[in-house]
Amino acid sequence: MGLLTMIARKMARNKWLQLNLWFGLTICVALFCSMPLYSNAISQRTFVRELQEVQSQKSVYPGMVEISTTVSSHAMDEATKRKIAEAEAFVKTIPQQMGIEARSFYEQKFTQKMRIYGVTATDEEKRWQNTIGGFRSLTDMKKRVRLIDGRMPSDRQDGIIEALVTQPFLFELKRGMGDELVVESMSDKRQRFRVIPVGIMETDPKADPFLPFRTDEVVDGFMIPEQQFDREFTQGGKATIMNIEWRYAMNFEQLTLEAVDRFVAADHAVRRYFQTGIGVAEVNIPVTDTVASYQGKQQKLEIMMLSLYAPVMLMLAFYLYMAANLIIERQKTEISVLRSRGASRSQIMLVYTLEGLLLGASALALGPLIGIMITKLLGASNGFLSFVQRSALEVSLGSGAYRIAASAVGAAILLILIPALLASRATIVDHKRQMARMTRMSVWHKTGLDIIFVGFAIYLLHTFNKQQEDLKKLALDSSSFQIDPMLFLMPAVFALGAGLLVLRVYPWFVRLIYVAGRRWWSPALYHSLVVISRSSGQYLTIKVFLIMTVATGLFSANAARTINDNMESKIRYASGADVVLMTEWNNDSEGVVAQHSGAAMVGAKRIQYAEPPYQLVQGLAGVESTARVFRRDDAIFFERKSGKGGDATVIGIDTKEFGQTAWMKDGLLHSHINNYLNLISPNPQAVLVSRSIADESGVKPGDAIRLFWNGLPQAQFTVYGIIDYWPSWNPLPSGFATDNNGKPKMPHLVVGHLSTIQKRLATEPYEVWMKLKDGTASEQIYSQLEKRGVPVKSLSDTEQKLVQSMNDPFRLAINGVMTLGFVISMLICFLGFLLFWVLTLSGRTLQYGVLRAMGIPFAQITGMLVSEQVLTSGAAIVIGVLIGNLTSDLYVPLFEMSFSTATQVPPFQIVRTTGDYLHLYAIIGSMMLIGLYILVSRLSRMRIAQALKLGEE
């Protein structure tokens, strides 16, 4: 009890320090908790959304499981009956195997097809009767079908079978309801059944919204009670069973990521069972591919989250170590006195361990709740430092999150105990000796960790650069957005190593400044230079901390902006405009004789197209401009002088429309795209050709080339310009196709006037590109086209593609975590800065008191404080900005490996936004100003008499 009282009093004396330490521990717990919470929540939401998309894409309920099997045996012997019973028992275990509940289920059985005629039919009628059908049963028949006439069949024991039929089948029989029929086996005429249709059924969609039974799927048959079917046919063997169907509607919303492996295993088990079952089987589970694609995806996302958090965790580790070290620095005298008076190191460490456990327990109580808030914040991220009103993530704390949080607390406590362990070795004599040797080299520099870190990071950089070059040379595609975790860890290691390397030489730089102007420096600056040059070790922690936070914050901002900008540019460039639609064109493909111009070929026949009125797609509300864009990918170009030619993509445009509508990123062409459009606009025969054509065929401006396709007569055009890029055209080679020299085959492009192409070559369907006004959705465009009666063949919405890209879980993770990392970096940077300088000022109370007593004005003491901060914190921030920019230049380009190298157009570019730098400078400037204000305020309230008395004591 006495020990706990001592710990409580000790913590109360240092309540502000303990509060800062507790804050770091709580944030650490929250971050570690948010990793599994976020990865589970965002993956589950994306998973369910993709399952729901199956319904819209395939028009089938996502939880559907359909199994259909034939019965190979033509006789209902005991072995066949046993196999059917075993199959039915196996099917009933499918929900348990998949780990999800069944919302609905039914089974159908079908007998062989038999000949049907009326009981009063003559021999002649029997001979010409071609109607065939069979018996079938349905689970819960009375609940699943709707009667439009008659009644439900009963299970009679007098040899007559009552049945339900469909209206078309009854018409085909040419009999009325209630008429007795004979169903006769086509292989054995002795096998006859007397049947009376007592009811006419149809589909009842309200009976089961998840698994409606459709009567129009099998219309030629008699539906009888399931119990009677099993007694007469399954067990009785009076007719051969030919087919059995089972259908489940599973509750797919219960399918969690943890159950993906179980679901896939159950899918394989079902398919394997029916491959060797009772006949030829077909298993249809529409979501199989979607579910299987998530195998291992969550683990990849968790690795991604861990790598994203690595820089933030490193900064938090620095913060915790610095806060713990500052606390121990204030208590070193107390520790050394206890050691000199006989206290063992284990007793001292027990005190600090209990203190850490108390802080850790309180952090563990609050941290997971903050982790939930962080997770929801990440889920609302729409970009770097951008948030939207997105549906909240469903987050729940589980045992896994608490285990990770407890592990984080344990590791953090071990980290903050390191300074206490080191301090417990020294007696009072050792402590005084260490205080007199503040210029000693730090452990970082003694062991050369700065050089090791920089060397390791540069080695990995070289490895990744080589790998990236190989991907480009081979034109290979990396998997969609699978970023190597080391891409996030390397920059943090490099920033740490580079910061330590600069700080290794920084004291010499300060000494150089001191020596260069020691005759002219003011007393305040002279004092600061002397203190910093002689006691650089005590400032090392805060300087490394500031460098890491600033550099990592800048790298996070630049990396996130670069990834977002390149992904969005890729989508916009590939689309070409906000909306791209294709309308239906009337043609003579139904047999009208075609002419030789303005047509497409189908075999030996040329199809004539009738161009629909362009005015129908113009003037739509919300559309800023439209452009007609013709594209033909199988054209052939020929250059007469060199005799060279090849395949090419031809794009026909109206220059004015295209310039007003198309999207093109600046910097891709040597001049603005409108200058190229203006270049060819006066001459209808002018064209632009790709760089690949110019290099391979020696074509230059002024040369003539010929174009044709599908046997059209060649048309001559004049080259006016050479282009490297064009909206919607990919200039990069794809696949493994090579030219005659073994090099990757480059695509070719020719851009000309649409009107000239239509007159001299052919009039064929073209796309309509649209530039929308802000706030206009593609649904509005589609509805207007529908009202105008425009038959839309296809419509591509760039904004929807951008939204889908933004909702990708990996991209959400990058934007959310990098935004969080930037904010936390700036927050702990401010707290660490303030904590260090407040404690430094408190530790030098005597020194400042003596200086005031010696008559040095308060303004000069303030100048000492300001100059000391500028030479330490200010210099560290400047170094952090420089290292952050250098880190971005070196490592951000590596993210190109995360994109498909064969389709990454426009080229990958590093993006820096002025706003991020303004945010950084504003935060840092505010931090230093607030810190200086607090420090000067404390300095102004310092009592000289107290300081001097403290010195006497």
Side-chain angles (χ1 to χ4, degrees), residues 170-214:
L170 196 59
F171 287 158
E172 184 181 356
L173 291 171
K174 298 178 182 179
R175 291 290 190 276
M177 189 176 60
D179 293 346
E180 185 176 338
L181 304 172
V182 176
V183 180
E184 181 181 275
S185 173
M186 291 184 287
S187 60
D188 185 0
K189 293 185 178 182
R190 293 174 299 176
Q191 192 177 48
R192 295 181 180 181
F193 304 94
R194 298 167 60 192
V195 181
I196 299 178
V198 296
I200 300 175
M201 63 180 177
E202 68 174 4
T203 300
D204 185 4
K206 297 180 180 180
D208 189 342
F210 301 106
L211 192 63
F213 171 74
R214 300 185 60 85

Side-chain angles (χ1 to χ4, degrees), residues 439-456:
T439 58
R440 68 188 187 277
M441 184 178 290
S442 68
V443 176
W444 298 91
H445 294 144
K446 281 182 181 179
T447 56
L449 286 178
D450 51 347
I451 299 175
I452 294 174
F453 286 162
V454 172
F456 176 69

Side-chain angles (χ1 to χ4, degrees), residues 83 270-279 281:
K83 286 183 178 181
V270 170
R271 297 178 188 275
R272 187 167 53 251
Y273 179 86
F274 282 99
Q275 280 179 351
T276 59
I278 56 179

